Amino acid sequence: MSVNRRNFLKIAGSSAIILPATACSTGADSARLPWRATDSYSDPMRRSLSYALLAPNPHNKQPWVVELTSETQATLMCDLDRLLPETDPYSRQITIGLGCFLEQFRIAAQEFGFKADITAFPDGYDDKKLDARPVAHLRLSPLEQAIPSPYFAHILNRRTNRTLYTEQVPSSQTLEAITHDLGEGILAGFTNAPEPVARLQDITVIASNIEFDTPRTYMESVDVMRIGARENNETPDGIALEGPMKEALHRLGFLTRKNLADMDSAMFRTGREDYARGIKSAHGFVWVNTPANTRLDQIKAGAAYLRLNLNATAHGLAMHPLSQALQEYVEMQEALGLIHHLLDIEDGARIQMFARIGYAKPVVPAPRWPLEAKLIQA
Ligand SMILES: Cc1cc2nc3c(=O)[nH]c(=O)nc-3n(C[C@H](O)[C@H](O)[C@H](O)COP(=O)(O)O)c2cc1C
């Protein structure tokens, strides 16, 4: 039986083609090498950094650069060519990702018997714009006794899972346990109650559609989509579109960057609808707030989000950050105010991370650049 173009798109559309790689599609293997290379480093700095670079970060831009001073000292910088000026105009999310990186570094160092002293923004910062000043100085000193971290065991299994979640509702007890005690000054929240979940789904879908329908913000995602194993191996960052179905669509010329960029195309519509379907499958949401919104708050929010994501992993829960309603560009202003109002956030406080949480099939790890690509020698 032959499959004509229209039917083929229908079949493809019904199988969530735009959602990134699932567990059965491990195509781009060298892109995942850093997930298996963590223990190939003998000095404590490189070894801890090899875990840090597996941290969650917006659009998987991996904006970190580390200048090594010695086997125990280094400086973390932000690669200013890896910002997201349209969806993240003040680099708030990029800074949160750097906070995730620093916390994963600290957890790994502790596991290997080192205390990590992290001085964030030692030369100061600009709240509106990240600049060439260091993000953090890192210094390791041996602990008298290793203090194993409860988080460490979950680093290699942590994922962002964008697939559909099952009907199983995460329990209040579990959500309470994983959002508890995420760091000083951090206020985390959750809901699994049908009515607030429905309202949060609605505002999140509206916000997601605003990002999809605004060409300059949508294109920021298209620019980082890596289609097929070859592209992911060559450029192991951004959002991976892989798996047998996507490879086939790509070979046949349906799944291309040009089609994805065409806002009248079936590919665009499918991507937009799939994202909304993912949101609508959620039976729980979690969020991380800070009392203010300085760079230091954002770094702390990253640490808190990382711990939350690792806690969720430990409990067998999947998570998917949904940042659209939290973004600062003009088209999103109303949604940003609305979500703060819905979650009853005090004046001046800021929701830094908002994510759906639930049960889902596992997904493969996201690509990463190897550590060597991110190091510079002082
Ligand atoms: C600050 C921040 C914001 C994020 N926002 C989104 C988002 O809105 N949508 C999404 O699909 N993923 C979002 N993510 C998840 C990243 O895309 C993900 O961490 C990255 O692709 C690497 O994948 P991994 O977490 O599986 O290692 C966000 C992550 C961070 C740290």
Side-chain angles (χ1 to χ4, degrees):
M1 190 181 77
S2 70
V3 179
N4 66 27
R5 186 186 163 92
R6 185 182 294 272
N7 280 339
F8 195 51
L9 280 177
K10 230 162 96 186
I11 296 163
S14 66
S15 52
I17 50 171
I18 307 300
L19 288 178
T22 55
C24 58
S25 56
T26 53
D29 230 3
S30 83
R32 269 91 189 181
L33 219 52
W35 291 88
R36 302 192 294 276
T38 45
D39 288 323
S40 56
Y41 301 92
S42 53
D43 70 274
M45 180 57 78
R46 281 186 179 77
R47 196 171 175 207
S48 304
L49 289 170
S50 73
Y51 282 88
L53 63 77
L54 305 177
N57 66 99
H59 276 37
N60 202 17
K61 293 285 285 188
Q62 304 167 45
W64 35 77
V65 181
V66 180
E67 188 176 71
L68 287 181
T69 316
S70 71
E71 289 191 356
T72 54
Q73 290 196 47
T75 302
L76 171 66
M77 323 279 263
C78 179
D79 180 344
L80 300 176
D81 291 333
R82 289 180 170 270
L83 306 182
L84 295 162
E86 300 299 346
T87 52
D88 186 27
Y90 305 118
S91 299
R92 182 188 60 84
Q93 296 181 70
I94 287 286
T95 308
I96 293 175
L98 293 165
C100 296
F101 177 98
L102 288 170
E103 180 61 7
Q104 199 138 284
F105 172 78
R106 197 191 60 73
I107 292 169
Q110 182 181 319
E111 182 74 16
F112 305 137
F114 289 84
K115 177 174 185 292
D117 285 307
I118 298 172
T119 311
F121 295 104
D123 298 341
Y125 55 80
D126 183 335
D127 273 326
K128 291 268 183 269
K129 194 166 144 301
L130 278 179
D131 54 35
R133 281 176 284 183
V135 173
H137 281 160
L138 317 178
R139 197 164 58 88
L140 296 176
S141 42
L143 288 163
E144 277 183 14
Q145 237 183 344
I147 318 167
S149 162
Y151 296 105
F152 181 78
H154 309 292
I155 290 179
L156 297 180
N157 296 325
R158 186 208 57 79
R159 312 272 181 265
T160 292
N161 190 325
R162 302 182 181 86
T163 62
L164 296 180
Y165 291 4
T166 70
E167 288 298 315
Q168 188 181 349
V169 181
S171 75
S172 301
Q173 199 185 13
T174 305
L175 294 177
E176 174 75 51
I178 68 171
T179 51
H180 182 69
D181 204 12
L182 293 177
E184 201 193 310
I186 295 294
L187 302 159
F190 71 85
T191 183
N192 58 359
E195 203 191 305
V197 163
R199 264 190 278 150
L200 288 165
Q201 284 178 349
D202 288 344
I203 169 78
T204 315
V205 169
I206 289 169
S208 147
N209 287 343
I210 292 172
E211 183 178 306
F212 269 92
D213 296 341
T214 306
R216 67 178 199 289
T217 56
Y218 172 62
M219 279 311 293
E220 212 162 59
S221 288
V222 174
D223 287 345
V224 298
M225 284 178 189
R226 311 282 177 240
I227 310 168
R230 193 171 56 84
E231 227 175 75
N232 277 283
N233 284 332
E234 282 170 8
T235 317
D237 55 23
I239 306 296
L241 301 180
E242 293 171 279
M245 173 64 88
K246 286 168 213 148
E247 292 280 358
L249 285 168
H250 185 45
R251 269 196 307 276
L252 290 165
F254 292 114
L255 180 56
T256 61
R257 199 172 312 284
K258 189 160 166 262
N259 279 352
L260 287 166
D262 175 0
M263 294 171 79
D264 292 322
S265 72
M267 289 293 150
F268 171 81
R269 278 197 302 281
T270 307
R272 188 179 185 274
E273 284 161 16
D274 283 348
Y275 204 83
R277 246 199 306 276
I279 294 167
K280 289 283 183 184
S281 74
H283 293 289
F285 289 102
V286 285
W287 53 92
V288 169
N289 311 335
T290 49
N293 189 24
T294 66
R295 291 285 173 218
L296 297 178
D297 289 306
Q298 294 159 11
I299 292 283
K300 280 188 194 168
Y305 178 74
L306 193 262
R307 290 186 208 127
L308 172 56
N309 202 175
L310 293 172
N311 281 343
T313 307
H315 282 79
L317 281 160
M319 277 177 70
H320 177 196
L322 301 164
S323 301
Q324 287 71 31
L326 309 183
Q327 292 167 348
E328 295 92 345
Y329 53 95
V330 60
E331 292 86 344
M332 201 58 85
Q333 244 166 28
E334 209 179 322
L336 177 63
L338 198 57
I339 195 163
H340 278 76
H341 175 71
L342 262 180
L343 296 180
D344 208 12
I345 307 299
E346 281 177 20
D347 278 356
R350 182 64 158 87
I351 310 175
Q352 300 286 4
M353 290 298 289
F354 179 78
R356 61 181 170 114
I357 188 159
Y359 296 91
K361 288 198 186 124
V363 292
V364 294
R368 288 295 189 279
W369 284 101
L371 178 61
E372 292 68 26
K374 297 291 185 174
L375 293 181
I376 44 177
Q377 205 73 42

